[in-house]
């Protein structure tokens, strides 16, 4: 397991994160448990800001909150002077509840509802990233109704395919996201947007995918966008103030992953913008990026308790933990790979090859296939690294399993930011209309039996 940020091995031979012994965290908060290194999150934010400042180009860095959205995270992003991307009213509500400045919020999404747009307009958010003609018309009508001028970017598809999992590719022509450039759809969208007095078109947005290591995709996308904007300037007299090239910057999940640094990503982007726009004598727009995974991914570690084990002689040994696809859907969804250690015996040498199984009633609930670990015992604490992005964000209640608690650690202090769900939480919004009184009695009995 690669140790990230402030992760170390202490004198007790235990994994320590942010100065906190993971075994002490387990004793206090239980498992499964998401542990975030707050210092590493802040360091990542500052890296992006500092590197961009050194380029001399006008810029804006927005955290893509879909990677992990809680009030605590929103507060950190605010304190680190970044903007925030949201893709739903739920994320918007979370940000506003945390006191995040509305003018620094950008609203994404391919199917924003009327209610979501109204909520965003009432909050006076900074920018809408418009995804389709339906949204364009609805936003213009609602902005006019509210007597507002909505600042927008149009999300366009440059027709660039990047090297990543097929479910993470979003910039190709055949995508549910954005206006396609090649077909002329994007040109038509710009033309229509410029005619709508309740909208102010700032520029265009493009996002080619996620977990991207090959930077050539950004170069190709920026060249395509520059050519598209030059055509708009020539034919529609529109000059973009903003060029948003999205995010998708990859992180190291396991030994095979070698992602570029923040500096490398930004250098490719800024060099490409300079080259593509200068040769067209086009004013270089403000450059926006949207890192999400690369801000929080490596900062998160999930702690599990080992339970049952099963050995299929000559084939495989299964080691089951008390979590799985309910707190980390990515292995089942993307065939994602992870590294792990026994947090309570981190200095011991590997002795056996095992596969880590989740507790859900699904054959596909496997967190890690074929990992070398010391001889595993019941009750060991397994620490899976780099689960900070799309772990808790995609957590669910399949098999009626409550979602885990989340703690942030820093300088030896642990702060609970999301409490563990209870069984009672699972039925909070349920009722049986015809037997309300019976239900109350059953609920009372369940509480007595389970001690909740």
């Amino acid at each position: 397991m690669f140790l990230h940020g402030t992760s170390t091995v202490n004198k007790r031979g235990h994994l320590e994160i942010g100065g906190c012994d993971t075994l002490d965290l387990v004793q206090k908060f239980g498992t499964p448990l998401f542990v975030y290194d707050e210092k590493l999150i802040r360091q990542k934010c500052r890296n992006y800001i500092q590197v961009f400042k050194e380029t001399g180009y006008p810029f804006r860095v927005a955290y893509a909150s879909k990677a992990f959205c809680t009030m605590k995270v929103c507060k950190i992003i605010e304190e680190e002077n970044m903007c925030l991307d949201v893709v739903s009213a739920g994320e918007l509500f979370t940000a506003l509840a945390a006191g995040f400045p509305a003018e620094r919020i950008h609203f994404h999404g391919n199917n924003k509802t009327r209610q979501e747009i109204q909520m965003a307009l009432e909050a006076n958010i900074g920018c809408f990233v418009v995804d389709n003609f339906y949204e364009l018309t609805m936003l213009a009508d609602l902005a006019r109704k509210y007597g507002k001028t909505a600042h927008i970017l149009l999300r366009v598809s440059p027709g660039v395919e990047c090297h990543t999992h097929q479910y993470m590719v979003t910039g190709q022509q055949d995508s549910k996201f954005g206006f396609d450039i090649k077909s002329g759809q994007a040109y038509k969208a710009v033309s229509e947007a410029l005619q709508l007095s309740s909208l102010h078109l700032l520029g265009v947005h493009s996002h080619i995918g996620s977990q991207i290591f090959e930077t050539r995709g950004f170069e190709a996308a920026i060249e395509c966008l520059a050519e598209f904007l030059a055509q708009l300037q020539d034919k529609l007299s529109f000059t973009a103030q903003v060029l948003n090239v999205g995010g998708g910057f990859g992180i190291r999940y396991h030994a095979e992953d070698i992602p570029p640094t923040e500096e490398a990503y930004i250098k490719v982007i800024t060099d490409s913008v300079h080259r593509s726009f200068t040769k067209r004598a086009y004013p270089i727009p403000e450059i926006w990026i949207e890192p999400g995974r690369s801000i929080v991914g490596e900062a998160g570690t999930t702690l599990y308790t080992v339970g049952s084990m099963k050995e299929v002689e000559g084939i495989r040994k299964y080691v089951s933990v008390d979590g799985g696809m309910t707190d980390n859907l990515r292995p089942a969804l993307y065939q994602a790979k992870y590294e792990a250690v026994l947090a309570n015996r981190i200095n011991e040498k590997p002795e056996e090859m095992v596969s880590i199984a989740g507790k859900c009633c699904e054959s596909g609930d496997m967190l890690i296939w074929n990992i070398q670990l010391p001889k595993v015992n019941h009750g060991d604490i397994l620490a899976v690294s780099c689960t900070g992005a799309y772990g808790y964000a995609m957590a669910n209640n399949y098999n009626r399993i409550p979602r885990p608690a989340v703690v942030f650690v820093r300088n030896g202090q642990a702060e609970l930011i999301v409490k563990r769900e209870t069984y009672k939480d699972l039925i909070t919004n349920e009722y049986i209309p015809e037997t309300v009184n019976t239900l109350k009695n059953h609920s009372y009995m369940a509480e007595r039996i389970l001690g909740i």
Side-chain angles (χ1 to χ4, degrees):
M1 176 176 171
F2 180 71
L3 298 180
H4 300 273
T6 57
S7 298
T8 58
V9 181
N10 64 23
K11 294 179 180 179
R12 299 163 67 186
H14 297 170
L15 175 65
E16 190 173 276
I17 305 173
C20 294
D21 189 316
T22 51
L23 273 293
D24 293 338
L25 295 175
V26 166
Q27 185 174 12
K28 183 175 182 179
F29 300 107
T31 58
L33 180 67
F34 286 103
V35 180
Y36 280 84
D37 183 343
E38 182 177 338
K39 186 176 180 180
L40 182 55
I41 293 176
R42 292 183 182 274
Q43 178 185 317
K44 293 286 187 180
C45 294
R46 293 169 189 176
N47 284 352
Y48 278 114
I49 297 292
Q50 184 58 37
V51 172
F52 246 125
K53 282 183 177 179
E54 292 173 359
T55 69
Y57 290 101
F59 71 93
R60 185 176 293 187
V61 180
Y63 168 64
S65 69
K66 69 190 181 86
F68 177 51
C69 184
T70 65
M71 290 194 294
K72 171 68 175 180
V73 173
C74 291
K75 198 64 182 175
I76 290 174
I77 298 304
E78 178 192 357
E79 292 170 353
E80 295 301 330
N81 299 311
M82 291 172 58
C83 294
L84 188 75
D85 288 347
V86 300
V87 298
S88 71
E91 289 179 356
L92 175 59
F93 181 86
T94 301
L96 295 175
F100 195 91
E103 67 273 13
R104 284 158 53 187
I105 296 176
H106 309 157
F107 201 158
H108 289 253
N110 70 298
N111 189 29
K112 302 179 189 71
T113 66
R114 187 178 186 87
Q115 291 74 25
E116 286 178 319
I117 291 175
Q118 288 174 336
M119 179 180 174
L121 286 169
E122 289 172 356
N124 292 314
I125 68 163
C127 180
F128 290 85
V129 181
V130 176
D131 202 273
N132 50 70
F133 289 107
Y134 174 74
E135 179 188 343
L136 186 67
T137 300
M138 181 164 55
L139 175 58
D141 289 345
L142 287 172
R144 190 181 306 109
K145 176 182 176 182
Y146 280 84
K148 298 178 182 290
T149 299
H151 296 283
I152 69 169
L153 296 177
L154 292 180
R155 178 165 181 170
V156 300
S157 300
V160 173
E161 296 195 24
C162 57
H163 181 67
T164 186
H165 192 282
Q166 61 177 332
Y167 290 173
M168 301 184 196
V169 177
T170 58
Q172 76 278 29
Q173 184 177 10
D174 183 8
S175 171
K176 77 173 189 177
F177 297 107
F179 300 95
D180 174 47
I181 292 177
K182 186 177 180 180
S183 68
Q185 190 181 67
Y187 181 90
K188 181 182 177 184
V190 172
S191 180
E192 289 189 12
L194 292 174
Q195 303 304 313
L196 298 168
S197 60
S198 58
L199 304 182
H200 177 215
L201 180 60
L202 299 175
V204 296
H205 169 280
S206 168
H207 180 71
I208 61 174
S210 298
Q211 188 62 355
I212 300 169
F213 291 174
E214 291 288 342
T215 56
R216 290 192 296 270
F218 291 106
E219 296 175 342
I222 290 168
E223 173 65 16
C224 177
L225 294 169
E227 176 61 23
F228 175 59
L229 289 174
Q231 292 174 7
L232 295 177
Q233 188 181 59
D234 181 54
K235 297 179 180 180
L236 298 176
S237 299
F238 170 72
T239 301
Q241 299 170 240
V242 173
L243 176 70
N244 190 329
V245 297
F249 314 127
I251 68 169
R252 183 193 185 280
Y253 282 103
H254 55 90
E256 298 172 15
D257 290 337
I258 308 176
T261 62
E262 294 92 346
E263 292 84 354
Y265 281 118
I266 292 175
K267 179 173 174 52
V268 166
I269 289 170
T270 53
D271 285 354
S272 298
V273 168
H274 178 82
R275 181 172 58 252
S276 295
F277 283 80
T278 299
K279 72 181 182 181
R280 293 176 171 85
Y282 193 104
I284 292 180
E286 186 168 279
I287 305 169
W288 291 10
I289 62 169
E290 302 165 346
R293 182 196 315 269
S294 61
I295 296 288
V296 296
E298 294 180 4
T301 301
T302 308
L303 304 178
Y304 302 98
T305 300
V306 172
S308 66
M309 287 177 266
K310 171 187 176 180
E311 189 152 8
V312 183
E313 190 172 351
I315 300 177
R316 185 183 311 282
K317 180 176 180 179
Y318 290 92
V319 173
S320 296
V321 295
D322 55 351
M325 63 191 299
T326 49
D327 57 75
N328 190 350
L329 192 58
R330 294 186 70 254
L333 191 61
Y334 301 137
Q335 299 79 51
K337 296 180 181 179
Y338 288 90
E339 292 180 345
V341 294
L342 297 181
N344 55 314
R345 296 158 53 205
I346 197 169
N347 287 328
E348 295 185 21
K349 294 181 179 180
E351 292 183 27
E352 60 178 353
M353 178 76 75
V354 301
S355 291
I356 308 301
K359 71 181 273 90
C360 289
C361 193
E362 289 286 338
S363 296
D365 185 18
M366 296 294 300
L367 290 174
I368 304 175
W369 292 96
N370 301 329
I371 182 172
Q372 288 280 354
L373 292 175
K375 183 71 174 177
V376 184
N377 300 319
H378 303 291
D380 279 336
I381 302 301
L382 186 80
V384 180
S385 61
C386 299
T387 57
Y390 306 105
Y392 187 83
M394 289 185 175
N396 58 83
N397 295 125
Y398 183 51
N399 289 172
R400 285 281 156 143
I401 297 173
R403 283 175 288 191
V406 182
V407 298
F408 271 47
V409 292
R410 185 180 185 185
N411 298 328
Q413 300 296 314
E415 179 183 24
L416 180 67
I417 69 158
V418 181
K419 69 178 183 178
R420 186 178 306 281
E421 283 185 333
T422 66
Y423 297 118
K424 190 175 182 180
D425 290 333
L426 298 177
I427 61 169
T428 296
N429 296 322
E430 296 186 19
Y431 61 95
I432 305 174
E434 66 275 17
T435 56
V436 173
N437 292 330
T438 301
L439 175 65
K440 288 180 178 179
N441 291 334
H442 287 171
S443 179
Y444 172 71
M445 290 300 296
E447 290 181 28
R448 290 190 60 188
I449 293 170
L450 299 174
I452 58 174

